[in-house]
């Protein structure tokens, strides 16, 4: 009797890019649905719009470059980029800004560098930073979460706000919009208010902003799915969140009334989304284990530094892009020793 | 046209060996001041004057300067012309002078100018050096102006704003606003916009060159085809 001899690798199923990207999308869904729950239809509209624009832009550039279109479209990487950008955008952003951001992300940040696997910078964050730097007013016009929103818009009203720019009669943008928790905390602190005083406002939940912290929880669940499926390793999220927490707690205990509790920074802004979905992008992050720890910790550090002393309320996007730049150097200096290789000092 | 003729020099300066797009020299002023068409044109013209005069002067003194000291001498020549240009702009285009600021004195360090002095003017007679300087200067000015115009259109939605700073009050009507609604994409005005814009200009030039080369090859192939039957 003869048995078929199968050589390694003994994996049960090819772990293709499409499957990986599909899992990222699945893991992103809880957080995205939670955002849609708290901030209205705009989140879903932007997700669909960005995905369509991303696929169209990718197909167009691949045609120009005379590369096969279908394999690149069906690997879903453009859709992941689009969804990551869409959940970072304000829910009532005008439609052409979303399209501009995602087209720039796909065409310039991804395809001009050679397409998937060759981009040195995270495309979604390039698109986000382009919009944030170019259109600061539109990009900071956020909605309050549903329980604080006096005038929630229904589906058609949201559509007309995004595509035509008209609000229902009797409403204006100032009445509708609200600052994000990070923005609010920063403004209040700049007016020399104390934290215990600031937190009297109904805007706050247990750690971060009301509603916002639950979105964070759902992203955390998504991150757990990615960790369980081994799509990401723990090194980057843990070191990034750890660095934010250590920095925030250090300053919190130095001066409790002007530095919010550490978990505020974890559950506000893009920290959790960034830690699990954006900083872990396998193309643009560091690849060695030691390098990933350094990479994540530096993102956390830069995020806290810009939030605390910089010009913008949130900084995950800037921190990720800055460390994208440093990732090749980190990899260079953290190459693991090949088994049997001697240290320089051994002789 | 002879390959060493003036036509070749002009073509090199404007296109084939454009100092900004091919040699990638003088990027510091190129990237820093091109946030509007008028600023780009202003600095481009100042550079044009300096590179033409310095090329001519270097060519005239080329047989009397020992090679050991040639670079300091070139720099001194360029610096003298830059100082003259700077003082003239201060006198006649004061507003533009204030906007361009440090980048006018920095023309001294523009590698395009010392590059032409070293590579061309120090080895060629006056006439050819003069034409080379003029062509290189115009090529550089064109890139500066086009890049400035593109960044101004995308970044502010206008073109030739503040043209009166350069051409007097008559030119203030030159300003064109594209649309009342379009307030511009700020990124184009900021430094990254200069890098991205220059990258696109270089790639467009390369595409045009490639198209020209392939059509020339095709033309040569069709011209060569009937030959075997003739022979």
């Amino acid at each position: 009797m003869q048995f078929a001899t199968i050589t390694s690798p003994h994996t049960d199923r090819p772990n293709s890019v499409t499957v990986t990207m599909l899992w990222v999308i699945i893991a992103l869904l809880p957080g995205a649905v939670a955002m849609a729950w708290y901030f209205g239809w705009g989140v879903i509209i932007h997700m669909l719009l960005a995905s369509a624009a991303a696929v169209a832009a990718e197909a167009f550039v691949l045609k120009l470059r005379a590369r096969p279109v279908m394999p690149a479209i069906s690997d879903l990487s453009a859709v992941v980029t689009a969804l990551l950008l869409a959940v970072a955008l304000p829910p009532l952003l005008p439609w052409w800004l979303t399209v501009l951001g995602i087209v720039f992300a796909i065409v310039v940040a991804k395809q001009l560098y050679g397409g998937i696997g060759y981009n040195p910078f995270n495309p979604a964050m390039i698109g986000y930073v382009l919009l944030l730097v170019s259109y600061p007013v539109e990009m900071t016009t956020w909605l309050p979460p549903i329980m604080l929103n006096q005038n929630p818009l229904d589906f058609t009203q949201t559509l007309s706000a995004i595509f035509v720019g008209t609000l229902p009669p009797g409403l204006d943008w100032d009445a509708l919009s609200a600052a994000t928790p990070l923005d609010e905390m920063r403004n209040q602190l700049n007016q020399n208010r104390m934290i215990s005083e600031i937190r009297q406002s109904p805007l706050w939940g247990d750690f971060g902003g009301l509603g916002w912290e639950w979105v964070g929880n759902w992203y955390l669940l998504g991150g757990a799915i990615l960790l369980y499926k081994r799509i990401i390793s723990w090194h980057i999220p843990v070191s990034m969140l750890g660095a934010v927490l250590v920095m925030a707690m250090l300053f919190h205990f130095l001066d409790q009334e002007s530095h919010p509790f550490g978990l505020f920074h974890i559950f506000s802004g893009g920290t959790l989304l960034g830690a699990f979905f954006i900083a872990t992008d396998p193309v643009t992050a560091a690849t060695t284990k030691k390098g990933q720890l350094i990479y994540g910790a530096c993102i956390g550090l830069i995020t806290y530094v810009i939030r605390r002393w910089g010009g913008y309320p949130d900084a995950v996007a800037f921190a990720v892009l800055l460390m994208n730049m440093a990732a090749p150097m980190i990899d260079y200096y953290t190459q693991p020793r090949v088994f049997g290789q001697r240290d320089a000092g051994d002789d | 046209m002879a390959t060493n003729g003036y036509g070749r020099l002009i073509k090199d300066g404007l296109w084939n060996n454009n100092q900004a797009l091919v040699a990638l020299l003088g990027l510091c002023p190129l990237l820093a001041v091109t946030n509007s068409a008028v600023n780009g044109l202003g600095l481009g013209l100042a550079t044009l004057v300096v590179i033409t005069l310095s090329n001519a002067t270097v060519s005239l003194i080329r047989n009397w300067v020992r090679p050991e000291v040639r670079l300091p001498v070139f720099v001194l020549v360029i610096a003298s012309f830059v100082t003259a240009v700077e003082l003239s702009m201060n006198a006649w285009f004061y507003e533009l002078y204030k906007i361009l600021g440090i980048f006018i004195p920095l023309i001294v360090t523009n590698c395009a100018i010392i590059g032409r002095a070293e590579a061309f003017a120090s080895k060629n007679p006056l006439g050819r050096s003069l034409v080379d300087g003029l062509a290189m200067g115009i090529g550089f000015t064109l890139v500066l102006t086009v890049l400035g115009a593109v960044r101004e259109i995308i970044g502010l939605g206008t073109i030739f704003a503040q043209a009166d700073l350069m051409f007097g009050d008559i030119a203030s009507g030159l300003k064109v606003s594209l649309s009342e609604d379009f307030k511009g994409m700020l990124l184009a005005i900021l430094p990254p916009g200069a890098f991205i814009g220059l990258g696109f200009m270089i790639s467009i030039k390369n595409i045009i060159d490639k198209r020209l080369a392939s059509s020339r090859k095709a033309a040569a192939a069709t011209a060569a085809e009937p030959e075997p039957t003739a022979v």
Side-chain angles (χ1 to χ4, degrees):
Chain A
M1 186 163 193
Q2 214 171 17
F3 292 100
T5 315
I6 303 167
T7 56
S8 61
H10 303 286
T11 47
D12 58 345
R13 208 170 334 125
N15 205 2
S16 71
V17 177
T18 313
V19 174
T20 307
M21 292 295 167
L22 202 60
W23 273 107
V24 174
I25 293 175
I26 291 171
L28 188 63
L29 279 183
V33 171
M35 279 206 75
W37 172 263
Y38 287 112
F39 298 103
W41 286 101
V43 178
I44 294 177
I45 295 172
H46 281 303
M47 282 166 68
L48 296 177
L49 179 67
S51 306
V55 172
E58 180 123 306
F60 175 73
V61 181
L62 287 168
K63 261 253 151 59
L64 273 188
R65 294 176 62 205
R67 295 289 163 91
V69 174
M70 267 334 276
I73 298 280
S74 59
D75 72 14
L76 293 179
S77 62
V79 177
V80 167
T81 302
L83 294 181
L84 288 175
L85 176 65
V87 294
L89 296 175
L92 292 184
L93 193 72
W95 66 273
W96 57 276
L97 285 180
T98 310
V99 173
L100 175 73
I102 191 66
V103 167
F104 191 84
I106 295 289
V107 174
V108 176
K110 186 178 173 194
Q111 290 293 342
L112 286 191
Y113 283 101
I116 185 170
Y118 293 97
N119 47 315
F121 297 103
N122 187 310
M125 289 301 99
I126 293 267
Y128 179 78
V129 165
L130 167 89
L131 293 177
L132 184 65
V133 169
S134 300
Y135 301 95
V137 177
E138 287 86 344
M139 284 298 284
T140 47
T141 308
W142 268 92
L143 291 179
I146 188 88
M147 46 285 212
L148 297 174
N149 196 343
Q150 315 278 324
N151 317 289
L153 301 183
D154 65 23
F155 182 65
T156 43
Q157 287 169 334
T158 310
L159 268 184
S160 86
I162 291 175
F163 285 93
V164 196
T166 53
L167 291 173
L171 268 181
D172 62 5
W173 288 102
D174 286 343
L176 199 60
S177 64
T180 63
L182 276 172
D183 217 358
E184 176 74 13
M185 181 62 85
R186 181 190 177 82
N187 288 338
Q188 300 280 356
L189 285 176
N190 283 346
Q191 292 166 17
N192 291 323
R193 314 262 307 262
M194 292 193 298
I195 299 252
S196 50
E197 192 184 351
I198 298 171
R199 288 194 67 108
Q200 301 293 320
S201 145
L203 221 66
W204 307 101
D206 296 328
F207 302 119
L210 202 59
W212 288 86
E213 52 188 14
W214 274 99
V215 174
N217 278 334
W218 291 109
Y219 283 137
L220 200 58
L221 175 73
I225 297 176
L226 290 182
L227 282 173
Y228 175 73
K229 296 297 294 181
R230 308 235 173 148
I231 285 167
I232 59 175
S233 67
W234 57 269
H235 302 77
I236 292 176
V238 166
S239 60
M240 175 179 162
L241 296 176
V244 171
L245 205 58
V246 166
M247 284 296 283
M249 291 311 277
L250 184 70
F251 282 93
H252 176 70
F253 285 125
L254 283 178
D255 183 357
Q256 301 208 359
E257 284 301 336
S258 57
H259 296 92
F261 191 64
L263 287 177
F264 169 81
H265 280 285
I266 301 285
F267 283 98
S268 295
T271 318
L272 284 166
L273 178 71
F276 289 105
F277 292 91
I278 290 164
T280 52
D281 172 15
V283 177
T284 58
T287 48
T288 62
K289 292 301 168 207
K290 203 158 104 197
Q292 288 183 340
L293 288 174
I294 298 171
Y295 174 84
C298 287
I299 291 179
L301 191 73
I302 296 174
T303 302
Y304 185 80
V305 166
I306 298 181
R307 277 184 182 179
R308 176 65 187 82
W309 292 284
Y312 284 91
D314 200 359
V316 175
F318 295 113
V320 168
L321 290 180
L322 284 171
M323 290 314 292
N324 282 168
M325 222 181 307
M329 191 180 73
I330 294 176
D331 276 346
Y332 179 83
Y333 283 108
T334 55
Q335 289 296 325
R337 202 158 61 118
V338 175
F339 182 72
Q341 183 192 1
R342 280 197 230 168
D343 271 343
D346 276 359
D347 294 318
Chain B
M1 193 181 297
T3 43
N4 290 331
Y6 290 121
R8 173 62 179 258
L9 285 181
I10 293 173
K11 206 176 157 198
D12 272 354
L14 294 187
W15 187 262
N16 289 341
N17 191 20
N18 187 305
Q19 293 298 287
L21 290 184
V22 179
L24 291 178
L25 291 177
L27 287 188
C28 158
L30 177 77
L31 296 169
V33 302
T34 54
N35 46 17
S36 80
V38 170
N39 289 357
L41 187 61
L43 193 86
L45 289 180
T47 311
L48 168 66
V49 171
V50 173
I51 195 172
T52 311
L53 294 176
S54 78
N55 255 18
T57 312
V58 167
S59 168
L60 283 177
I61 61 172
R62 70 186 191 278
N63 295 327
W64 290 281
V65 177
R66 295 186 57 83
E68 294 86 350
V69 294
R70 68 184 194 287
L71 285 178
V73 171
F74 294 166
V75 171
L76 279 178
V77 167
I78 297 168
S80 321
F81 285 121
V82 169
T83 310
V85 166
E86 189 193 356
L87 290 174
S88 325
M89 288 183 78
N90 195 348
W92 288 304
F93 304 106
Y94 184 64
E95 293 295 320
L96 188 65
Y97 170 81
K98 273 206 302 194
I99 292 176
L100 295 181
I102 184 69
F103 291 100
I104 303 173
L106 275 181
I107 295 175
V108 179
T109 61
N110 188 327
C111 346
I113 298 176
I114 198 155
R116 289 329 284 173
E118 164 75 8
F120 195 90
S122 62
K123 294 165 191 151
N124 284 282
L126 175 63
R128 288 170 54 77
S129 300
L130 204 60
V131 172
D132 179 75
L134 211 55
M136 293 291 171
I138 293 174
F140 192 69
T141 309
L142 280 179
V143 174
L144 246 72
T145 314
V146 171
L147 186 57
V150 170
R151 286 178 66 191
E152 191 182 343
I153 291 172
I154 298 177
L156 294 172
T158 63
I159 187 166
F160 291 117
Q162 298 181 310
D164 49 313
L165 297 186
M166 232 174 116
F167 306 110
D169 287 336
I170 326 153
S172 54
L174 263 179
K175 175 181 171 178
V176 182
S177 292
L178 293 181
S179 146
E180 291 302 313
D181 297 335
F182 184 62
K183 288 192 288 295
M185 193 171 102
L186 208 56
L187 185 87
I189 297 291
L190 298 173
F195 284 99
I196 297 170
L198 182 67
F200 274 110
M201 281 181 74
I202 293 173
S203 60
I204 290 172
K205 179 190 180 293
N206 288 345
I207 291 173
I208 294 175
D209 279 345
K210 215 180 241 177
R211 290 267 160 86
L212 285 180
S214 68
S215 70
R216 206 173 298 138
K217 206 180 270 174
T222 48
E225 236 167 53
E227 247 183 23
T229 51
V231 174

